Amino acid sequence: MSEASGVSEMTVSRVLRGKGDVSEATRLKVQEAAKRLGYVPNKIAGALASSRVNLVAVVIPSLKNMVFPEVLAGVSQTLENSQLQPVVGVTDYLPEKEEKVLFEMLSWRPSGVIVAGLEHSEASRAMLARADCPVVEIMDTDGDPIDACVGISHRRAGRVMAEAILDAGYRRIGFLGTKMPLDHRARKRFEGMTRRLGKAGVEIADQEFYSGGSALAKGREMTEAMLARTPDIDFLYYSNDMIGAGGLLYLLDKGIDIPGRIGLAGFNGVELLDGLPRQLATMDACRREIGERAARIVLARHTGEQAEAEKVELSPTLSLGDTLARR
Amino acid sequence: MSEASGVSEMTVSRVLRGKGDVSEATRLKVQEAAKRLGYVPNKIAGALASSRVNLVAVVIPSLKNMVFPEVLAGVSQTLENSQLQPVVGVTDYLPEKEEKVLFEMLSWRPSGVIVAGLEHSEASRAMLARADCPVVEIMDTDGDPIDACVGISHRRAGRVMAEAILDAGYRRIGFLGTKMPLDHRARKRFEGMTRRLGKAGVEIADQEFYSGGSALAKGREMTEAMLARTPDIDFLYYSNDMIGAGGLLYLLDKGIDIPGRIGLAGFNGVELLDGLPRQLATMDACRREIGERAARIVLARHTGEQAEAEKVELSPTLSLGDTLARR
DNA sequence: CTGAAAGCGCTAACAA
DNA sequence: TTGTTAGCGCTTTCAG
């Protein structure tokens, strides 16, 4: 590349990075040569020399349920016109895999790390604490962040939903969700809800958990199972909208009166719900905004600006839809 | 790290990579020091020195519709126990963005590139052709691959569905899909279908396109619009299952006889469909398998094994569900 | 089994 | 405005 354009490597570097003063003439020579050769600069060497790696590691549990892709979309959009580029890693909700992925990503010396959740293995926390880049833990604010944090309080979300359910007059409440140990946020919502119900002297009447398979189909099955087992149930709280939608479709099939005989609520505000016959009660998890805010924090730190607040707690909005109403 | 363990950098390197013979004693010393310091080796330096970057670039149009995440899952799983690691880039169906993403990823000198589609800008094709790593174009086999290729023939898929529809006796067929220019595969399915219908002397009776928004809701809206405009329509072919599901729910709401009065079919075989009140006719796009095969090709080339076949055409399976039947 | 030297392809910091 | 000189932190290669 240097020979092809007849200037020093250094000048080539300056042109290609648009840094430093270069005469128009040499600039054109270099650009022409680059195009002609199909030259793609080696970022590895560049990164090593400058110790600048414009990558932001985004570590999330899964891509299978639309919530993380949306967070990602927020991150990508925010980073779009910056030097930074997101790189995603998926953990499948497995702490060991999270550890592996973090190690792998940190070994590339990223400019920032955005990682879902506040629960990590000892080793993961240590790695993140040592990483000399901003670390933003996202989704959840119930706990102690290593560095920065953007999310919502899932305990609070559970509590708020519990209040809405109680207010509407439901008393025989069932919970349907993912297997707990894997999903801390679902667990926290569950805890927030049960605690609030407990204060009102109400106990969860029944519960059912699943893992794997089509969420919509699981929602149907679990709903059927719970109704069979606990016929006097009058409210179903689903840990996500997808299984909630399945339950809704099932109950509609059966001709059950919603929200009279049974009320329903999910969690997330997935776009999918817009097309359902009834609007499921749900709570928006602010996914896109979480991604945006997290990316902005990384960006601000990276460009040396004042760091934003270390812990950003967003407020999810409750929407009652057609499935949660005073009886 | 070298000082902390009291051995040469070289020996540290050997221990950490598990390459070369090192005595048990020094191995332990090094590992102990690494753990104590929370040492994370710098892959940038390693990659530069060894000119080995164990990253596989996976370039896809979107993460919003579950089809690419599934491809990705296939890739990840296949690469799981190898040295290689997938890194995803998203193009939003924009050729310019694809170009940018490819340039960016290639500048990291990946060990392989897996990219969706066979249609690329001139510049993108040139970059890929020059890249000295395996390049696997996926999803689609209707065209000329740069290097290797794994996918299905979408034209064929459209033709096969057309045959099933004709066989069942439908004649007033409407098409509902995404805006064409963006999605080459949807366009090819459309072409495959119209061509086959044309041979039978049948013309598409109506068509409707959308972009953006909740696919389920769009499916409802588009279906309603088409029925209003072309009341004698007797079959609706949707370019993806999500809008198909929306249409299905709409028609069910309206109490329309399916598949008697109107037949329906989608495309993709998304898991979601399992939970719907009726099974939508669809065609499996072999998404996971595509990811697996593509990853295997990269892996084989990387480990110097015999390259697999250059063009792998998978066979999607047609499932008629409850919405496409002889009338 | 272990170490020393050279250099991967760039960029920071100077010099001209 | 341009070029020169040193590395960046590892791994390759070759000697011990």
Side-chain angles (χ1 to χ4, degrees):
Chain A
M1 185 59 212
S2 183
E3 314 95 67
S5 55
V7 296
S8 75
E9 259 183 52
M10 197 53 237
T11 304
V12 170
S13 170
R14 282 195 267 252
V15 172
L16 265 24
R17 283 178 305 148
K19 286 252 185 186
D21 294 325
V22 181
S23 74
E24 196 54 24
T26 47
R27 175 192 310 289
L28 289 175
K29 262 199 303 195
V30 171
Q31 285 174 334
E32 186 277 327
K35 177 153 295 179
R36 185 160 46 78
L37 301 180
Y39 177 72
V40 179
N42 186 330
K43 286 222 177 185
I44 300 179
L48 183 60
S50 65
S51 52
R52 252 189 286 282
V53 179
N54 295 325
L55 261 23
V56 177
V58 183
V59 178
I60 56 184
S62 160
L63 286 170
K64 294 211 165 170
N65 52 20
M66 211 76 324
V67 3
F68 297 106
E70 271 189 62
V71 173
L72 210 54
V75 172
S76 300
Q77 197 195 8
T78 303
L79 262 30
E80 187 94 330
N81 296 311
S82 75
Q83 303 284 5
L84 301 183
Q85 235 206 338
V87 177
V88 317
V90 175
T91 69
D92 292 323
Y93 288 100
L94 268 21
E96 321 88 73
K97 198 159 177 198
E98 182 183 77
E99 212 171 295
K100 222 182 97 184
V101 168
L102 280 173
F103 184 83
E104 205 69 26
M105 308 212 98
L106 286 175
S107 73
W108 288 101
R109 302 291 187 268
S111 294
V113 177
I114 295 175
V115 52
L118 290 161
E119 284 76 18
H120 313 288
S121 72
E122 204 54 56
S124 295
R125 289 187 67 86
M127 272 190 280
L128 289 171
R130 293 189 129 78
D132 67 340
C133 66
V135 173
V136 187
E137 288 166 283
I138 57 170
M139 309 312 288
D140 188 3
T141 59
D142 295 324
D144 296 316
I146 294 168
D147 180 5
C149 176
V150 181
I152 65 170
S153 163
H154 287 262
R155 269 196 246 283
R156 190 166 181 288
R159 198 181 72 221
V160 169
M161 187 57 90
E163 279 162 4
I165 293 169
L166 290 171
D167 277 358
Y170 298 101
R171 287 299 177 273
R172 295 288 292 164
I173 297 153
F175 181 87
L176 304 89
T178 46
K179 287 234 185 324
M180 296 284 101
L182 299 167
D183 187 342
H184 295 285
R185 293 173 288 284
R187 174 177 55 74
K188 288 173 183 175
R189 292 195 294 278
F190 180 63
E191 287 169 7
M193 156 150 307
T194 50
R195 189 166 312 170
R196 180 61 188 82
L197 293 181
K199 270 198 196 157
V202 173
E203 291 228 341
I204 287 288
D206 195 357
Q207 49 195 79
E208 175 108 14
F209 303 101
Y210 81 107
S211 65
S214 157
L216 207 61
K218 287 289 175 190
R220 293 184 98 94
E221 290 167 25
M222 290 163 74
T223 304
E224 179 168 21
M226 187 171 289
L227 284 184
R229 195 170 50 222
T230 316
D232 67 334
I233 211 104
D234 68 10
F235 196 91
L236 300 173
Y237 181 46
Y238 297 87
S239 79
N240 69 62
D241 281 345
M242 210 56 174
I243 56 173
L248 175 62
L249 290 175
Y250 173 78
L251 295 171
L252 252 24
D253 272 6
K254 294 289 165 199
I256 291 172
D257 169 27
I258 300 172
R261 162 77 184 79
I262 296 189
L264 299 176
F267 182 83
N268 256 338
V270 297
E271 203 178 44
L272 163 93
L273 296 187
D274 289 347
L276 256 25
R278 301 274 186 93
Q279 203 66 31
L280 184 70
T282 191
M283 218 159 177
D284 175 30
C286 312
R287 300 178 301 285
R288 197 185 178 92
E289 192 183 352
I290 287 175
E292 289 170 4
R293 298 292 289 262
R296 270 199 268 139
I297 291 177
V298 171
L299 210 47
R301 295 262 196 102
H302 185 249
T303 58
E305 283 167 39
Q306 189 59 32
E308 286 195 31
E310 291 307 325
K311 190 162 183 172
V312 181
E313 180 169 333
L314 271 23
S315 303
T317 56
L318 173 65
S319 82
L320 299 179
D322 315 314
T323 68
L324 199 177
R326 167 149 272 114
R327 326 161 69 196
Chain B
M1 187 57 215
S2 181
E3 313 94 67
S5 55
V7 296
S8 74
E9 258 182 53
M10 196 53 239
T11 303
V12 171
S13 170
R14 282 195 267 252
V15 172
L16 265 23
R17 283 177 305 147
K19 287 250 185 191
D21 294 326
V22 181
S23 74
E24 197 52 25
T26 48
R27 174 191 313 289
L28 288 174
K29 261 200 303 197
V30 172
Q31 285 173 334
E32 185 277 325
K35 177 153 296 176
R36 184 160 46 78
L37 302 180
Y39 176 72
V40 179
N42 186 329
K43 285 223 179 189
I44 299 178
L48 183 60
S50 65
S51 54
R52 253 189 284 281
V53 180
N54 295 325
L55 260 24
V56 177
V58 182
V59 178
I60 54 183
S62 160
L63 285 171
K64 295 211 166 171
N65 52 22
M66 212 74 325
V67 3
F68 297 106
E70 271 190 62
V71 173
L72 210 55
V75 172
S76 300
Q77 196 195 11
T78 303
L79 261 30
E80 187 93 330
N81 295 311
S82 75
Q83 303 284 4
L84 301 183
Q85 236 208 335
V87 178
V88 316
V90 174
T91 68
D92 292 322
Y93 288 100
L94 267 23
E96 321 89 74
K97 198 158 178 200
E98 182 182 77
E99 213 171 294
K100 223 182 95 184
V101 168
L102 281 174
F103 184 84
E104 204 69 24
M105 308 214 98
L106 285 176
S107 75
W108 288 99
R109 303 290 187 269
S111 295
V113 177
I114 295 174
V115 52
L118 291 161
E119 285 76 20
H120 313 287
S121 72
E122 204 56 54
S124 295
R125 288 187 67 85
M127 271 191 280
L128 289 171
R130 265 187 221 299
D132 68 340
C133 66
V135 173
V136 187
E137 289 167 283
I138 57 170
M139 309 312 287
D140 188 3
T141 59
D142 294 324
D144 296 316
I146 295 169
D147 181 4
C149 176
V150 181
I152 65 169
S153 163
H154 288 261
R155 269 197 247 284
R156 190 166 183 288
R159 198 181 74 220
V160 168
M161 188 58 90
E163 279 162 4
I165 294 170
L166 290 171
D167 277 359
Y170 299 101
R171 288 298 178 272
R172 297 286 294 162
I173 298 153
F175 181 88
L176 304 89
T178 45
K179 287 234 186 323
M180 296 284 104
L182 298 168
D183 187 341
H184 294 285
R185 292 174 288 283
R187 173 177 56 73
K188 288 173 182 174
R189 291 196 294 278
F190 180 64
E191 288 170 5
M193 157 152 302
T194 50
R195 189 167 310 170
R196 180 63 187 81
L197 293 180
K199 269 198 196 159
V202 174
E203 291 227 339
I204 287 288
D206 195 359
Q207 50 196 79
E208 176 108 12
F209 302 102
Y210 82 105
S211 64
S214 157
L216 208 61
K218 285 291 175 187
R220 292 186 99 94
E221 290 168 24
M222 290 165 75
T223 303
E224 180 167 21
M226 187 170 288
L227 283 183
R229 194 169 52 221
T230 315
D232 67 334
I233 210 103
D234 67 8
F235 197 90
L236 299 172
Y237 180 46
Y238 297 87
S239 79
N240 69 62
D241 281 344
M242 210 58 176
I243 55 173
L248 174 62
L249 290 175
Y250 173 79
L251 295 172
L252 252 23
D253 272 6
K254 293 290 165 199
I256 291 172
D257 169 26
I258 300 172
R261 159 79 185 80
I262 296 188
L264 299 175
F267 182 82
N268 257 340
V270 295
E271 204 177 46
L272 163 91
L273 296 186
D274 288 349
L276 257 26
R278 302 276 185 92
Q279 203 66 33
L280 184 68
T282 190
M283 218 157 177
D284 174 31
C286 311
R287 301 179 299 286
R288 198 184 177 92
E289 193 183 352
I290 287 176
E292 290 170 1
R293 298 292 288 263
R296 270 199 269 139
I297 291 177
V298 171
L299 208 48
R301 295 260 197 102
H302 185 249
T303 57
E305 282 168 38
Q306 190 58 34
E308 286 196 30
E310 290 306 323
K311 191 163 182 170
V312 181
E313 180 171 332
L314 271 22
S315 304
T317 57
L318 173 67
S319 82
L320 299 178
D322 314 315
T323 68
L324 198 176
R326 168 150 270 114
R327 324 163 67 199

